[in-house]
Amino acid sequence: MPTAPASIESLVGAPAQPLVDPFGRNIGYVRVSVTDRCDFRCVYCMSEDMNFLPRRDVLSLEELDRLCSAFVGLGARKLRITGGEPLVRRDIMTLFRSLARHLDSGALDELTLTTNGSQLARYAGDLVDCGVKRVNVSLATLDPAKFRAITRWGDFQKVMAGISAAQEAGLAVKINTVALRGVNEDEAFELIEWAHRRAMELTFIEVMPLGEIEIGRAEQYLPLSALRARLSARLTLSPSQHLSGGPARYYDVAETNGRLGFITPLTHNFCESCNRVRVTCSGALFMCLGQEDSADLRGPLRRSESDELLVDAIRSAIRRKPKGHDFVIDRSIPTPASQRHMSVTGG
Ligand code: SAM
């Protein structure tokens, strides 16, 4: 990594015009995938037999730092590091340590990550030292045998130890649970009680038709409108004013005194307030999770040591950000909305 990191002004020239898309949405939130590899093979995310990118196609940590810093220079206030599993990328703390300078300077409000939790016991303390205040941990079940079946390769106890280590280190933990028909819907109450007892928020997510997997999406898909109705019969859910800056809509749960989120890309998308873009670990900028259009940022990164080409490429991509996605899960539509697995685009 650079020993004396460049300032934002020297990277992109000051003052930078903020990133505003054709629909007037201010793009202030960037999710950056640092690897397409993962130590799990969750059945809703990947197929068991995945092809991964050759190393030369993956951005180096220095390139990832330049890329993230260019976005910060263009007004991004929130960076989420993701993957694949971000904490299996070798030397990943070097990137967090370097990006922490944008928190220190006040240019960035939040540096965070989404993780499966398998490596959190090892890295929780380092993450706190890098200014990370909260993490999202993906967890679909509290049943160790079911956990193994869903993740194929995951070790439930390791994830539990990771969550405990994160909380002990002072990180706020949010649990993300992909709702799976007939798999974890019977555990919804238990998951809520467990998370809220430990002072963690929990958010349910509708499964999206991204990438080919072994079974049809219609078999997995559980509309959250149905789950919410079921939960409302037993719990008092009041709409919360809380906004996380992401796509979730929140409810306060009176009985558990905790917060419950719903991410509903199928039953009710919130594209009109989308402030996000995603960059893959090979530098493809996706302006929408559910659309195919992307812009290559690796070429501009590698062609020049200065960031002018990179900034131009980002600006021209944002001018093409589409209005939204239109996911459909239906037995009559056998092909996924996108051939890209979530592990490629980054969650
Ligand atoms: N490995 C990390 C993890 O497990 O959180 C980060 C990457 S993972 C791709 C990011 C998020 O995407 C996770 O919360 C995962 O559950 C979610 N996800 C993966 N495939 C999905 C799909 N098809 N529909 C909805 N969410 C999905």
Side-chain angles (χ1 to χ4, degrees), residues 105-117:
S105 75
L108 192 63
D109 292 333
E110 183 168 40
L111 174 62
T112 184
L113 73 153
T114 304
T115 173
N116 64 25

Side-chain angles (χ1 to χ4, degrees), residues 38 44-45 82-86 114-116 136-138 176 178 205-210 217 342-343 346-347:
C38 188
Y44 53 84
C45 182
T82 181
E85 172 48 43
T114 304
T115 173
N116 64 25
N136 286 4
V137 179
S138 307
N176 280 339
V178 175
I205 306 175
E206 281 174 344
V207 77
M208 289 176 270
L210 302 173
R217 288 291 181 189
M342 188 77 152
S343 58

Side-chain angles (χ1 to χ4, degrees), residues 49 73 90 130 177 205 278:
D49 186 22
R90 189 189 301 204
C130 295
T177 300
I205 306 175
R278 293 173 157 86

Side-chain angles (χ1 to χ4, degrees), residues 116-285:
N116 64 25
S118 71
Q119 309 299 314
L120 266 181
R122 177 172 169 204
Y123 287 124
D126 290 339
L127 289 168
V128 170
D129 290 345
C130 295
V132 174
K133 295 207 159 35
R134 54 187 196 128
V135 293
N136 286 4
V137 179
S138 307
L139 181 77
T141 178
L142 289 171
D143 174 334
K146 220 190 262 184
F147 180 87
R148 187 72 174 183
I150 293 172
T151 61
R152 291 190 180 109
W153 297 0
D155 178 341
F156 180 74
Q157 296 310 340
K158 218 169 156 190
V159 171
M160 290 297 118
I163 291 171
S164 296
Q167 290 197 294
E168 278 157 29
L171 290 167
V173 177
K174 194 183 99 184
I175 303 295
N176 280 339
T177 300
V178 175
L180 300 167
R181 174 185 293 281
V183 175
N184 62 1
E185 54 184 308
D186 59 328
E187 279 189 79
F189 288 103
E190 194 186 339
L191 278 157
I192 294 167
E193 276 164 13
W194 170 79
H196 290 179
R197 203 179 333 116
R198 297 185 56 148
M200 303 185 293
E201 277 178 28
L202 181 118
T203 293
F204 288 111
I205 306 175
E206 281 174 344
V207 77
M208 289 176 270
L210 302 173
E212 294 283 355
I213 54 167
E214 280 76 2
I215 69 167
R217 288 291 181 189
E219 281 174 59
Q220 285 185 332
Y221 173 50
L222 177 68
L224 288 184
S225 43
L227 181 67
R228 204 176 62 215
R230 224 181 297 157
L231 292 173
S232 299
R234 262 177 66 184
L235 299 172
T236 316
L237 306 182
S238 341
S240 160
Q241 295 310 309
H242 177 73
L243 285 176
S244 65
R249 290 299 173 270
Y250 290 95
Y251 291 80
D252 294 319
V253 184
E255 289 77 1
T256 56
N257 209 14
R259 197 181 285 144
L260 179 62
F262 293 90
I263 298 182
T264 53
L266 284 107
T267 52
H268 186 168
N269 77 47
F270 292 99
C271 299
E272 67 279 4
S273 57
C274 180
N275 59 349
R276 292 173 297 288
V277 290
R278 293 173 157 86
V279 190
T280 70
C281 65
S282 57
L285 170 61

